[in-house]
Amino acid sequence: MPGAPQTERPTSRSRKLHPRLESVFDTVVTRNPAEREFHEAVRGVLGTLGPVIERQPEYLEAKLVERICEPERQIIFRVPWTDDRGSVQVNRGYRVEFNGALGPFKGGLRFHPSVSSSIVKFLGFEQVFKNALTGLPLGGGKGGSDFDPKGRSEAEVMRFCQSFMSELHRHIGEYTDVPAGDAGVGEREIGFLFGQYRRITNRYESGTLTGKGLTWGGAQVRKEATGYGCAYFAEEMLRTQGSSLSGRTVTVSGSGNVAIYAIEKAQQLGGTVIGCSDSKGYVHDPAGLDVELVKQIKEVERGPLEDYATHRPGASFVPGARLWEVATEVALPCATQGELDADDARKLIESGTVLVVEGANMPCTPEAVGLLREGGVLFGPAKAANAGGVATSALEMQQNASRDSWTFEYTEHRLVEIMRDIHRSCYEMSGECGVPGDYVVGANNAAFVRVAEAMLAMGVT
Ligand code: NDP
């Protein structure tokens, strides 16, 4: 029907909505037309909240679900800048301040051509729950731009970041909103952004941005945290089965920040990581990846993963194909959203995969998650498994606030404790909800209760 909102209808494998949440979801779809990713994220969470809604009907009376689905504030702005040839370019910037009940809005900035209102809202919504799971004082938000840093000179990236911050600085601060990096925004971009923030505000407010360089307020382990945390979460999940990563084959999609450090920690925990990928294809290295070589190619040279196979006898690069066709016991999707679909899930089930843990944000489609559940594959959702990054950002904020800096060992020790706590609260909540080992239900309900209780205490805000 022309003009009708594009409704993300539940797929046959989506969990059934609690009858009292159906109209909530319909309102989200009507109010946010054509925002497929956002609908999918909301549908995914609402489909699991039945147990807590039954137990605590006061949440419905206070319209907490409706309030949690509506961002507190959404900012969309023009980002004009000049390229190296002197031509003016125009991009669009976003910051969605989704929920601040537990602390300042917190979440990354993504620079990628696919960034849209829907993507930022989906990421911001997920971030609210993820941050709640850490147990730290963090609200949830997300931002970014459709700017593509690929192929841009350093000077172009700097000018873009300066223009982006010229608007963003009005909305952020250590007690209001604390952005960080995400895909396309690493230490270099955070440096340009912080430089412009400091210049405009005339304040050295380290706690306004996280992901900073180690010599100017950054935290040890931040770079490694999301990937390491994902591997630790996988280890904890296997421990509940009396098992571990040790001696198991592992594949990790992507070869960016999250993937590289998931590979490194999975190897340190005794796994053999036999494949990783980038947007052009995947590498298969049956002897186990040389993670230092992956770092050299992707972090230092910023080159294509294809180069790996030319340096490493026994390894092959398969262009244009998905890593999930490689048989593995453990799969860690760490590249991007929607990268593991129903066909991929079937291949993993057929090849005997026992565990899938999400390092990226929502890399598995809802269909794939349903199939994995039905196929008896243990599944760790992103909002729990990749929370190590934001948790370490909170540790960076703590160090900034106390003008202190901790060692790598101490910070990693804190990260491990946080990942174990997240795992424990998801696992215990899954039991309380009557589905022990269903980490999706466990994570969503545990996180929802934390946010809902804080909102209840603060009245109608
Ligand atoms: P990066 O930009 O560093 O890396 C992304 C990687 O994924 C690149 O290697 C890219 O390849 C690859 N890639 C992109 N699309 C595909 C695809 N379709 N198939 C296979 N590989 C692909 O991002 P991050 O590692 O920082 O982030 C990855 C994911 O993790 C994102 O979803 C992000 O939101 C999430 N995340 C990141 C956190 C962090 O701390 N960095 C924290 C929490 C979540 P190429 O090099 O060819 O572009």
Side-chain angles (χ1 to χ4, degrees), residues 57-357:
E58 68 271 22
Y59 290 164
L60 284 177
E61 280 145 35
K63 295 273 194 301
L64 278 168
V65 188
E66 285 89 334
R67 284 197 266 156
I68 284 177
C69 291
E70 183 64 25
E72 288 190 28
R73 190 176 297 121
Q74 304 180 58
I75 302 142
I76 300 182
F77 51 100
R78 182 172 65 204
V79 191
W81 57 284
T82 308
D83 69 18
D84 284 347
R85 294 184 317 180
S87 301
V88 175
Q89 302 282 337
V90 180
N91 286 97
R92 181 172 278 187
Y94 301 88
R95 187 71 185 166
V96 174
E97 298 178 336
F98 222 109
N99 193 298
L102 289 173
F105 305 106
K106 180 92 194 89
L109 298 171
R110 177 179 292 189
F111 293 168
H112 191 272
S114 66
V115 167
S116 64
S117 205
S118 173
I119 296 273
V120 176
K121 266 148 84 177
F122 126 60
L123 292 167
F125 182 75
E126 289 285 300
Q127 195 81 43
V128 173
F129 295 90
K130 180 187 308 189
N131 293 1
L133 283 174
T134 66
L136 300 165
L138 299 170
K142 199 81 188 184
S145 173
D146 56 3
F147 170 73
D148 187 358
K150 263 193 197 159
R152 290 291 177 190
S153 71
E154 186 135 318
E156 288 178 318
V157 172
M158 181 182 73
R159 287 196 293 274
F160 173 80
C161 289
Q162 290 176 339
S163 178
F164 186 85
M165 185 52 86
S166 296
E167 173 58 34
L168 189 71
H169 83 278
R170 294 177 227 284
H171 312 287
I172 62 174
E174 62 182 313
Y175 297 109
T176 48
D177 184 351
V178 183
D182 188 70
V185 180
E187 189 180 315
R188 177 183 69 172
E189 290 74 18
I190 293 291
F192 295 147
L193 291 163
F194 185 68
Q196 184 74 349
Y197 180 82
R198 192 180 63 77
R199 185 188 192 188
I200 294 175
T201 61
N202 195 28
R203 287 169 69 86
Y204 204 107
E205 251 179 47
S206 304
T208 297
L209 282 167
T210 59
K212 300 181 292 295
L214 287 178
T215 54
W216 45 280
Q220 297 280 0
V221 194
R222 177 60 193 89
K223 184 173 68 168
E224 295 83 357
T226 308
Y228 275 20
C230 174
Y232 281 126
F233 197 85
E235 181 75 352
E236 288 300 303
M237 289 177 75
L238 287 168
R239 278 209 328 198
T240 65
Q241 312 291 304
S243 174
S244 76
L245 279 171
S246 184
R248 291 195 179 273
T249 50
V250 182
T251 54
V252 179
S253 64
S255 46
N257 175 255
V258 180
I260 285 174
Y261 293 96
I263 295 169
E264 185 166 277
K265 188 51 68 181
Q267 288 179 336
Q268 288 171 9
L269 292 169
T272 305
V273 185
I274 55 172
C276 68
S277 58
D278 70 2
S279 55
K280 304 287 184 300
Y282 73 82
V283 152
H284 185 208
D285 189 346
L289 287 172
D290 177 349
V291 72
E292 293 306 322
L293 180 55
V294 180
K295 282 186 196 174
Q296 176 64 28
I297 293 167
K298 298 304 281 190
E299 285 187 339
V300 181
E301 296 166 15
R302 294 182 186 240
L305 187 63
E306 193 173 358
D307 291 355
Y308 181 94
T310 61
H311 289 90
R312 181 99 166 149
S316 51
F317 181 78
V318 184
R322 301 232 219 183
L323 179 63
W324 314 122
E325 63 193 33
V326 175
T328 183
E329 292 171 281
V330 176
L332 307 179
C334 293
T336 189
Q337 71 264 6
E339 53 156 319
L340 195 160
D341 64 16
D343 284 343
D344 301 317
R346 284 189 199 97
K347 282 183 194 145
L348 289 173
I349 294 165
E350 276 161 26
S351 72
T353 300
V354 295
L355 176 70
V356 174
V357 180

